[in-house]
Amino acid sequence: MTESVERSLHAELVAVLVAVTHGEPRVLTTEDARALPAGPFELSHRSLQAGLRAWVEAQTHHPLGYVEQLYTFADGDRSDESGARVMSVSYLGLTREAGETGVAQVGWQDWYRYFPWEDRRADTALVDDLIVPRLRAWCDDTADAALRKRRQQRVAITFGLDGAAWNEDMVLQRYELLFEAGLVPEAARRQPGAAAALVPGEPMRHDHRRILATGIARLRAKIKYRPVVFELMPAQFTLLQLQQAVEALAGRGLHKQNFRRLIEQQALVEETGDMATGTAGRPAKLFRFRRDVLLERAIAGSKLPLSRSL
């Protein structure tokens, strides 16, 4: 009986390891950018997190720093190649990109490679001109008036249409809606006859893109009330670099003066006395994160002005 249960249920540990490099959000991938670092939980692992660290460091040669549990995925249709049921325990880690990994098939990728519609810093043409028309066509592709209305409401809320505001935290909901509408390759793998008109965005193996969406959503929500963005910054940085990092993670622009005013009001950073060199224009002051306010800010929050986009 025990042997049968062990064969039918496997626990997989999956890491969403994030960095910000040159003002762009990056995620560490395996299998030539098609998967996240992952491996099975084994009896030799003293804990889930210890098992995760062991797998990530073995697969990528990248040590883990800050890590928190993200979500456990245990849907009934999750299975491996042998047909065994798979439960994935995912973790979110924040780090610094260290250049080439030196491991074949392992590398850092821009996370907007997988979710291009989430990047609204420059324009919204992908959503407005391509995704929304296809979602509206999906809404209309039913004779059930009640179902059609529910679909229309979901599309409006999820993609910020018809008077609804775009919510950058709804990364997973947008991906799952596109999945349900048959507009992503992962849906085509599970749903024979899914729509051929797929939207841009690289797929990943298994449901790793869904796990990545969950990690992005968690981090986007977290940077609004915890100073975790400083885990992704170098020891010294300019205020412009800090703003660009937050914008890259959130996928939207921020008002420069409002952002700097809020950072100053909360006393999150302090001047180092040095100036940035090797940049165009006037030299900029270098700042560092005030570690002594970490506990205070963890309690009070750091409320970054993500709602005030350009």
Side-chain angles (χ1 to χ4, degrees), residues 217-235:
R218 168 74 66 84
L219 187 52
R220 283 183 169 184
K222 204 172 185 70
I223 61 175
K224 297 177 184 177
Y225 61 90
R226 294 288 187 270
V228 294
V229 66
F230 295 102
E231 299 287 344
L232 302 167
M233 300 300 295

Side-chain angles (χ1 to χ4, degrees), residues 24-142:
E24 294 300 328
R26 310 272 282 171
V27 61
L28 188 60
T29 64
T30 61
E31 300 187 32
D32 288 330
R34 294 177 298 171
L36 298 169
F41 177 68
E42 299 175 346
L43 294 180
S44 60
H45 296 147
R46 60 182 176 79
S47 67
L48 291 171
Q49 190 174 123
L52 178 85
R53 290 180 181 275
W55 276 115
V56 170
E57 294 178 10
Q59 290 180 359
T60 70
H61 294 181
H62 191 96
L64 284 182
Y66 173 90
V67 176
E68 65 178 62
Q69 189 166 338
L70 185 59
Y71 193 77
T72 298
F73 297 84
D75 297 350
D77 61 349
R78 302 186 78 256
S79 60
D80 61 16
E81 289 79 0
S82 68
R85 178 89 174 268
V86 176
M87 176 182 70
S88 288
V89 182
S90 60
Y91 286 81
L92 173 66
L94 307 182
T95 187
R96 299 287 312 286
E97 183 176 347
E100 294 296 327
T101 62
V103 184
Q105 298 186 324
V106 173
W108 290 91
Q109 306 296 327
D110 188 318
W111 77 24
Y112 293 123
R113 170 178 182 169
Y114 306 99
F115 301 96
W117 57 84
E118 292 294 335
D119 189 0
R120 299 169 68 86
R121 289 171 294 174
D123 60 61
T124 61
L126 175 60
V127 171
D128 299 339
D129 301 339
L130 181 64
I131 293 179
V132 169
R134 292 181 182 179
L135 284 173
R136 292 201 188 279
W138 171 70
C139 291
D140 295 336
D141 188 27
T142 176

Side-chain angles (χ1 to χ4, degrees), residues 175-186:
Y175 172 73
E176 291 187 330
L177 184 59
L178 292 171
F179 186 104
E180 185 178 337
L183 297 175
V184 294
E186 292 91 332

